[in-house]
Amino acid sequence: MNARVKEPLILIDDQKKTFKVARNNFIDSEVLQAERDRIFGNCWLYVGHGSELNKPGDFMMREVGGRSILFAKDREGVVRAMYNTCPHRGAQVCRERSGNAKSFQCFYHGWVFGLDGKLRSQPGEEAYPEGFKDDPSSSLSVVKRMESYRDLYFICFDDDAVSLDTYLGNAKEYLDLICDQAEDGLEIVRGAQEYAINANWKLLTENSIDGYHAASTHATYMDYLKSTDGGLTSVALTGYGRDLGNGHAVIEYAAPWGRPVAQWIPMWGETGKKEIGEILARLEARHGKERAERIAYKNRNLHIFPNLIINDIMALTVRTYFPKSESEMQVNAWAAAPRGESGWARKFRLFNFLEFLGPGGFATPDDVEALEHCQRGYLNSREVRWNDISKGMSQATPAMTDEEQMRAFWKQWNARMTGMQAGA
Amino acid sequence: MNAETIGLASNAVSRAEVEDFLYYEAELLDAWRLPEWLQLFTEDATYEVPTTNLPADASSDENLFYIADDRFRLGERVKRLMKRAAHAEFPHSKTRHIVANVSLRGRDVGRLDISCSFVTYRTKDSATHLFFGTLRYQLVQAEGQLRIRCKRVLLDTDGLRQQGRLSIIL
């Protein structure tokens, strides 16, 4: 990083209304090294949803920000994130992806830890000094900063970070709209899509909130919707993009596809019409007409800096992604849904999800292809140095097809990388 | 055994005949003759690829899969993959579908449950990826021909971390 400190990472020209991003940001291993420290080392990172730990003893093993994390609920219902490494000699204590446990045992020398991470016993205990077990360094290390907002759990590796609430800031308005579609809270549907893209992780941030690429990249998805029997309404694809501060951004828009909460399409027939009507009526009773209609009819692609996407579109997806190298990322995607929704609604939600989303959908594979081709195009970045994300910069209210959202991300990214960010 | 006697009702289909059918299916897929491949499916067929942390018999109505196509959407998948604008598969990748260890798991009147192992290689842009696991078929007989009513792909991988995407048909 230091060698390149004189080269700007982004170029903003407020007179000419242009916004350029250096392609070096996507290919330089020194940039990635700095990101591990300045982005993943001190931002709030999504670790999991409360519904994934339903019962005491439930646990998930997750890789978050390059760390191996054990996300678990103890007997008293306390949720913790612990570093999944034995305090003794370092082996990963948990080797299962998920499950229910009474305790965790390191298989190397047999140390046993409680669900709270505390050392319970170790073979040959008599050879250790008195009080050894009570020394905090003998137990699993707990991630000190873990906070939740509406059952979304985040961790932060910077002990001095601002609170999650402050960090989320204006993004909470949109998280609330998304969570308020459920009467009894959201839950993660069983089954996770785990894939990878041979591209820099920041390309997926851009792509996930990009309303500009749909017409060309996803032409075949639009063709599919048109050929369905009643898969579309006459609603036009239109909306705005918004910089939410702290690097968070959103596009909010109307769209012609069906939404399980709650925009009916003819394909769902009379049963569906009745179901959707009831969902709408209950939304209205809880939130009033105006807010209910915003929840039901508007789509939201929400980006929480740096690497969480919650897309409330034809289905509801939660997605995180982390760099493996400057040109590789790993992606995790889940489907979220209102707890206790009807079997009908759940079925159509998941059917909707798969037609667009995920590595086997009709759209995501083409996004993956686009991102990988960008990464390959950056082979030329010494000669062709800048990406342009100026679209809509001179608009008072940027449209969803403008690039205000990406600019929000890059401004925050730049501020953190150059050590110039204020507040959060 | 002649064509007339390959009645499932009489339980007369041999494993060799099932294997020939599966080899033919693989050949169509490798040649990207997808419209012909689609003709191997019944009108009420399903094609499913569950995510890899689910039980083998999980339902796509309640669990998140990678792919859960009914016959209509499978037809649309084929249409899409034959277009230039299916960017992930343009130009088409090279694939090799290999099936082995074919076993007849169950028979019912007019129906045959088949299980086999598979390995599929996919090469695109100088990279080769591997998909492997178990294929579960429910076959029926229509107009004297074997047809697929259900094809479920059980991947033995941990997600698609190596492969990245599932843009081909397995």
mmCIF file of all heavy atoms in Angstrom, chain B residues 141-170:
data_model
loop_
_atom_site.group_PDB
_atom_site.id
_atom_site.type_symbol
_atom_site.label_atom_id
_atom_site.label_comp_id
_atom_site.label_asym_id
_atom_site.label_seq_id
_atom_site.Cartn_x
_atom_site.Cartn_y
_atom_site.Cartn_z
ATOM 1 N N GLN B 141 -42.554 -45.382 -18.637
ATOM 2 C CA GLN B 141 -42.584 -45.733 -20.039
ATOM 3 C C GLN B 141 -43.741 -45.024 -20.722
ATOM 4 O O GLN B 141 -44.858 -45.034 -20.217
ATOM 5 C CB GLN B 141 -42.735 -47.237 -20.212
ATOM 6 C CG GLN B 141 -42.324 -47.680 -21.592
ATOM 7 C CD GLN B 141 -42.487 -49.159 -21.743
ATOM 8 O OE1 GLN B 141 -43.431 -49.735 -21.223
ATOM 9 N NE2 GLN B 141 -41.577 -49.775 -22.473
ATOM 10 N N ALA B 142 -43.418 -44.346 -21.811
ATOM 11 C CA ALA B 142 -44.470 -43.663 -22.574
ATOM 12 C C ALA B 142 -44.296 -44.025 -24.024
ATOM 13 O O ALA B 142 -43.201 -43.898 -24.573
ATOM 14 C CB ALA B 142 -44.353 -42.148 -22.388
ATOM 15 N N GLU B 143 -45.333 -44.530 -24.629
ATOM 16 C CA GLU B 143 -45.326 -44.951 -26.040
ATOM 17 C C GLU B 143 -44.139 -45.871 -26.338
ATOM 18 O O GLU B 143 -43.414 -45.674 -27.320
ATOM 19 C CB GLU B 143 -45.309 -43.722 -26.961
ATOM 20 C CG GLU B 143 -46.599 -42.929 -26.916
ATOM 21 C CD GLU B 143 -46.400 -41.467 -27.329
ATOM 22 O OE1 GLU B 143 -45.314 -41.141 -27.841
ATOM 23 O OE2 GLU B 143 -47.317 -40.669 -27.100
ATOM 24 N N GLY B 144 -43.922 -46.792 -25.449
ATOM 25 C CA GLY B 144 -42.865 -47.775 -25.663
ATOM 26 C C GLY B 144 -41.459 -47.267 -25.385
ATOM 27 O O GLY B 144 -40.487 -47.991 -25.566
ATOM 28 N N GLN B 145 -41.330 -46.016 -24.960
ATOM 29 C CA GLN B 145 -40.012 -45.444 -24.704
ATOM 30 C C GLN B 145 -39.849 -45.116 -23.217
ATOM 31 O O GLN B 145 -40.818 -44.747 -22.558
ATOM 32 C CB GLN B 145 -39.864 -44.114 -25.474
ATOM 33 C CG GLN B 145 -40.088 -44.213 -26.963
ATOM 34 C CD GLN B 145 -38.936 -44.913 -27.660
ATOM 35 O OE1 GLN B 145 -37.776 -44.649 -27.358
ATOM 36 N NE2 GLN B 145 -39.249 -45.813 -28.578
ATOM 37 N N LEU B 146 -38.618 -45.209 -22.752
ATOM 38 C CA LEU B 146 -38.347 -44.753 -21.390
ATOM 39 C C LEU B 146 -38.371 -43.232 -21.380
ATOM 40 O O LEU B 146 -37.882 -42.577 -22.309
ATOM 41 C CB LEU B 146 -36.968 -45.237 -20.933
ATOM 42 C CG LEU B 146 -36.841 -46.728 -20.606
ATOM 43 C CD1 LEU B 146 -35.385 -47.071 -20.283
ATOM 44 C CD2 LEU B 146 -37.745 -47.098 -19.434
ATOM 45 N N ARG B 147 -38.943 -42.675 -20.316
ATOM 46 C CA ARG B 147 -38.975 -41.231 -20.153
ATOM 47 C C ARG B 147 -38.638 -40.891 -18.689
ATOM 48 O O ARG B 147 -38.902 -41.682 -17.781
ATOM 49 C CB ARG B 147 -40.369 -40.666 -20.474
ATOM 50 C CG ARG B 147 -40.721 -40.665 -21.953
ATOM 51 C CD ARG B 147 -39.952 -39.566 -22.684
ATOM 52 N NE ARG B 147 -40.193 -39.582 -24.117
ATOM 53 C CZ ARG B 147 -39.427 -40.220 -25.002
ATOM 54 N NH1 ARG B 147 -38.387 -40.941 -24.583
ATOM 55 N NH2 ARG B 147 -39.681 -40.180 -26.288
ATOM 56 N N ILE B 148 -38.081 -39.691 -18.500
ATOM 57 C CA ILE B 148 -37.698 -39.276 -17.146
ATOM 58 C C ILE B 148 -38.834 -38.473 -16.527
ATOM 59 O O ILE B 148 -39.254 -37.466 -17.083
ATOM 60 C CB ILE B 148 -36.415 -38.402 -17.189
ATOM 61 C CG1 ILE B 148 -35.267 -39.158 -17.851
ATOM 62 C CG2 ILE B 148 -36.036 -37.953 -15.777
ATOM 63 C CD1 ILE B 148 -34.090 -38.274 -18.247
ATOM 64 N N ARG B 149 -39.296 -38.914 -15.365
ATOM 65 C CA ARG B 149 -40.305 -38.122 -14.658
ATOM 66 C C ARG B 149 -39.655 -37.268 -13.571
ATOM 67 O O ARG B 149 -40.151 -36.205 -13.216
ATOM 68 C CB ARG B 149 -41.372 -39.020 -14.055
ATOM 69 C CG ARG B 149 -42.478 -38.194 -13.373
ATOM 70 C CD ARG B 149 -43.459 -39.032 -12.612
ATOM 71 N NE ARG B 149 -44.459 -39.613 -13.480
ATOM 72 C CZ ARG B 149 -45.164 -40.688 -13.171
ATOM 73 N NH1 ARG B 149 -44.941 -41.306 -12.024
ATOM 74 N NH2 ARG B 149 -46.067 -41.155 -13.990
ATOM 75 N N CYS B 150 -38.542 -37.790 -13.060
ATOM 76 C CA CYS B 150 -37.864 -37.033 -12.011
ATOM 77 C C CYS B 150 -36.371 -37.311 -12.108
ATOM 78 O O CYS B 150 -35.956 -38.458 -12.234
ATOM 79 C CB CYS B 150 -38.433 -37.486 -10.662
ATOM 80 S SG CYS B 150 -37.520 -36.843 -9.280
ATOM 81 N N LYS B 151 -35.589 -36.238 -12.089
ATOM 82 C CA LYS B 151 -34.135 -36.389 -12.052
ATOM 83 C C LYS B 151 -33.625 -35.506 -10.926
ATOM 84 O O LYS B 151 -33.830 -34.296 -10.942
ATOM 85 C CB LYS B 151 -33.501 -35.982 -13.379
ATOM 86 C CG LYS B 151 -31.970 -36.061 -13.381
ATOM 87 C CD LYS B 151 -31.387 -35.783 -14.767
ATOM 88 C CE LYS B 151 -29.862 -35.860 -14.727
ATOM 89 N NZ LYS B 151 -29.254 -35.655 -16.053
ATOM 90 N N ARG B 152 -33.020 -36.145 -9.945
ATOM 91 C CA ARG B 152 -32.483 -35.390 -8.796
ATOM 92 C C ARG B 152 -30.976 -35.614 -8.719
ATOM 93 O O ARG B 152 -30.507 -36.752 -8.734
ATOM 94 C CB ARG B 152 -33.161 -35.831 -7.502
ATOM 95 C CG ARG B 152 -32.614 -35.116 -6.283
ATOM 96 C CD ARG B 152 -33.413 -35.433 -5.028
ATOM 97 N NE ARG B 152 -34.647 -34.666 -4.973
ATOM 98 C CZ ARG B 152 -35.119 -34.085 -3.862
ATOM 99 N NH1 ARG B 152 -34.483 -34.196 -2.726
ATOM 100 N NH2 ARG B 152 -36.236 -33.431 -3.893
ATOM 101 N N VAL B 153 -30.239 -34.516 -8.644
ATOM 102 C CA VAL B 153 -28.781 -34.565 -8.644
ATOM 103 C C VAL B 153 -28.281 -34.308 -7.224
ATOM 104 O O VAL B 153 -28.468 -33.214 -6.681
ATOM 105 C CB VAL B 153 -28.200 -33.496 -9.596
ATOM 106 C CG1 VAL B 153 -26.676 -33.611 -9.633
ATOM 107 C CG2 VAL B 153 -28.806 -33.613 -10.990
ATOM 108 N N LEU B 154 -27.671 -35.329 -6.620
ATOM 109 C CA LEU B 154 -27.140 -35.181 -5.263
ATOM 110 C C LEU B 154 -25.636 -35.009 -5.345
ATOM 111 O O LEU B 154 -24.897 -35.959 -5.617
ATOM 112 C CB LEU B 154 -27.500 -36.408 -4.420
ATOM 113 C CG LEU B 154 -29.009 -36.688 -4.309
ATOM 114 C CD1 LEU B 154 -29.252 -38.044 -3.653
ATOM 115 C CD2 LEU B 154 -29.716 -35.578 -3.537
ATOM 116 N N LEU B 155 -25.189 -33.766 -5.183
ATOM 117 C CA LEU B 155 -23.764 -33.463 -5.309
ATOM 118 C C LEU B 155 -23.002 -33.948 -4.078
ATOM 119 O O LEU B 155 -23.482 -33.829 -2.949
ATOM 120 C CB LEU B 155 -23.566 -31.952 -5.471
ATOM 121 C CG LEU B 155 -24.032 -31.342 -6.789
ATOM 122 C CD1 LEU B 155 -24.172 -29.829 -6.647
ATOM 123 C CD2 LEU B 155 -23.059 -31.692 -7.908
ATOM 124 N N ASP B 156 -21.806 -34.463 -4.306
ATOM 125 C CA ASP B 156 -20.940 -34.883 -3.197
ATOM 126 C C ASP B 156 -19.961 -33.784 -2.796
ATOM 127 O O ASP B 156 -19.061 -34.026 -1.998
ATOM 128 C CB ASP B 156 -20.134 -36.129 -3.598
ATOM 129 C CG ASP B 156 -20.965 -37.390 -3.468
ATOM 130 O OD1 ASP B 156 -22.003 -37.348 -2.786
ATOM 131 O OD2 ASP B 156 -20.573 -38.406 -4.065
ATOM 132 N N THR B 157 -20.098 -32.614 -3.382
ATOM 133 C CA THR B 157 -19.161 -31.531 -3.078
ATOM 134 C C THR B 157 -19.667 -30.724 -1.879
ATOM 135 O O THR B 157 -20.813 -30.861 -1.467
ATOM 136 C CB THR B 157 -19.029 -30.595 -4.283
ATOM 137 O OG1 THR B 157 -20.343 -30.263 -4.744
ATOM 138 C CG2 THR B 157 -18.271 -31.254 -5.398
ATOM 139 N N ASP B 158 -18.787 -29.894 -1.313
ATOM 140 C CA ASP B 158 -19.219 -28.933 -0.302
ATOM 141 C C ASP B 158 -19.647 -27.681 -1.054
ATOM 142 O O ASP B 158 -18.822 -26.839 -1.405
ATOM 143 C CB ASP B 158 -18.062 -28.590 0.649
ATOM 144 C CG ASP B 158 -17.991 -29.537 1.824
ATOM 145 O OD1 ASP B 158 -18.993 -30.233 2.089
ATOM 146 O OD2 ASP B 158 -16.936 -29.590 2.472
ATOM 147 N N GLY B 159 -20.918 -27.584 -1.318
ATOM 148 C CA GLY B 159 -21.407 -26.449 -2.088
ATOM 149 C C GLY B 159 -20.786 -26.425 -3.473
ATOM 150 O O GLY B 159 -20.438 -27.472 -4.043
ATOM 151 N N LEU B 160 -20.630 -25.256 -4.019
ATOM 152 C CA LEU B 160 -20.040 -25.100 -5.352
ATOM 153 C C LEU B 160 -18.819 -24.194 -5.257
ATOM 154 O O LEU B 160 -18.613 -23.309 -6.075
ATOM 155 C CB LEU B 160 -21.078 -24.513 -6.316
ATOM 156 C CG LEU B 160 -22.300 -25.387 -6.589
ATOM 157 C CD1 LEU B 160 -23.380 -24.597 -7.329
ATOM 158 C CD2 LEU B 160 -21.922 -26.623 -7.398
ATOM 159 N N ARG B 161 -18.023 -24.420 -4.188
ATOM 160 C CA ARG B 161 -16.875 -23.561 -3.953
ATOM 161 C C ARG B 161 -15.858 -23.657 -5.077
ATOM 162 O O ARG B 161 -15.196 -22.684 -5.406
ATOM 163 C CB ARG B 161 -16.183 -23.931 -2.637
ATOM 164 C CG ARG B 161 -16.997 -23.624 -1.402
ATOM 165 C CD ARG B 161 -17.088 -22.134 -1.136
ATOM 166 N NE ARG B 161 -17.583 -21.885 0.212
ATOM 167 C CZ ARG B 161 -18.418 -20.917 0.531
ATOM 168 N NH1 ARG B 161 -18.881 -20.098 -0.395
ATOM 169 N NH2 ARG B 161 -18.805 -20.750 1.780
ATOM 170 N N GLN B 162 -15.683 -24.857 -5.644
ATOM 171 C CA GLN B 162 -14.710 -25.013 -6.725
ATOM 172 C C GLN B 162 -15.320 -24.632 -8.070
ATOM 173 O O GLN B 162 -14.668 -24.028 -8.907
ATOM 174 C CB GLN B 162 -14.207 -26.465 -6.804
ATOM 175 C CG GLN B 162 -13.651 -27.018 -5.512
ATOM 176 C CD GLN B 162 -12.450 -26.256 -5.017
ATOM 177 O OE1 GLN B 162 -11.625 -25.825 -5.798
ATOM 178 N NE2 GLN B 162 -12.351 -26.049 -3.709
ATOM 179 N N GLN B 163 -16.596 -25.004 -8.252
ATOM 180 C CA GLN B 163 -17.217 -24.888 -9.570
ATOM 181 C C GLN B 163 -17.799 -23.499 -9.814
ATOM 182 O O GLN B 163 -17.925 -23.061 -10.955
ATOM 183 C CB GLN B 163 -18.347 -25.917 -9.711
ATOM 184 C CG GLN B 163 -17.912 -27.353 -9.487
ATOM 185 C CD GLN B 163 -17.762 -27.706 -7.998
ATOM 186 O OE1 GLN B 163 -18.026 -26.887 -7.116
ATOM 187 N NE2 GLN B 163 -17.328 -28.914 -7.732
ATOM 188 N N GLY B 164 -18.203 -22.834 -8.732
ATOM 189 C CA GLY B 164 -18.692 -21.464 -8.831
ATOM 190 C C GLY B 164 -20.119 -21.325 -9.298
ATOM 191 O O GLY B 164 -20.865 -20.522 -8.773
ATOM 192 N N ARG B 165 -20.510 -22.096 -10.298
ATOM 193 C CA ARG B 165 -21.858 -21.928 -10.844
ATOM 194 C C ARG B 165 -22.361 -23.247 -11.407
ATOM 195 O O ARG B 165 -21.578 -24.168 -11.639
ATOM 196 C CB ARG B 165 -21.851 -20.873 -11.922
ATOM 197 C CG ARG B 165 -21.215 -21.375 -13.195
ATOM 198 C CD ARG B 165 -21.006 -20.298 -14.199
ATOM 199 N NE ARG B 165 -19.744 -19.642 -13.936
ATOM 200 C CZ ARG B 165 -19.118 -18.857 -14.822
ATOM 201 N NH1 ARG B 165 -19.679 -18.605 -15.962
ATOM 202 N NH2 ARG B 165 -17.965 -18.323 -14.538
ATOM 203 N N LEU B 166 -23.631 -23.281 -11.661
ATOM 204 C CA LEU B 166 -24.266 -24.481 -12.197
ATOM 205 C C LEU B 166 -24.995 -24.087 -13.473
ATOM 206 O O LEU B 166 -26.213 -24.202 -13.572
ATOM 207 C CB LEU B 166 -25.248 -25.011 -11.146
ATOM 208 C CG LEU B 166 -25.602 -26.479 -11.160
ATOM 209 C CD1 LEU B 166 -24.388 -27.356 -11.405
ATOM 210 C CD2 LEU B 166 -26.263 -26.862 -9.859
ATOM 211 N N SER B 167 -24.239 -23.602 -14.440
ATOM 212 C CA SER B 167 -24.865 -23.100 -15.665
ATOM 213 C C SER B 167 -25.078 -24.205 -16.691
ATOM 214 O O SER B 167 -25.830 -24.022 -17.642
ATOM 215 C CB SER B 167 -24.012 -21.976 -16.261
ATOM 216 O OG SER B 167 -22.664 -22.370 -16.329
ATOM 217 N N ILE B 168 -24.436 -25.355 -16.509
ATOM 218 C CA ILE B 168 -24.707 -26.485 -17.401
ATOM 219 C C ILE B 168 -25.783 -27.354 -16.768
ATOM 220 O O ILE B 168 -26.136 -27.181 -15.607
ATOM 221 C CB ILE B 168 -23.446 -27.344 -17.665
ATOM 222 C CG1 ILE B 168 -22.875 -27.868 -16.344
ATOM 223 C CG2 ILE B 168 -22.399 -26.545 -18.437
ATOM 224 C CD1 ILE B 168 -21.854 -28.986 -16.500
ATOM 225 N N ILE B 169 -26.274 -28.312 -17.529
ATOM 226 C CA ILE B 169 -27.202 -29.297 -16.971
ATOM 227 C C ILE B 169 -26.393 -30.520 -16.581
ATOM 228 O O ILE B 169 -25.542 -30.979 -17.354
ATOM 229 C CB ILE B 169 -28.308 -29.629 -17.996
ATOM 230 C CG1 ILE B 169 -29.222 -28.410 -18.149
ATOM 231 C CG2 ILE B 169 -29.094 -30.855 -17.571
ATOM 232 C CD1 ILE B 169 -30.154 -28.461 -19.321
ATOM 233 N N LEU B 170 -26.618 -31.026 -15.384
ATOM 234 C CA LEU B 170 -25.840 -32.178 -14.925
ATOM 235 C C LEU B 170 -26.509 -33.479 -15.343
ATOM 236 O O LEU B 170 -27.677 -33.520 -15.601
ATOM 237 C CB LEU B 170 -25.677 -32.132 -13.404
ATOM 238 C CG LEU B 170 -24.763 -31.017 -12.892
ATOM 239 C CD1 LEU B 170 -24.741 -31.014 -11.378
ATOM 240 C CD2 LEU B 170 -23.346 -31.171 -13.433
#
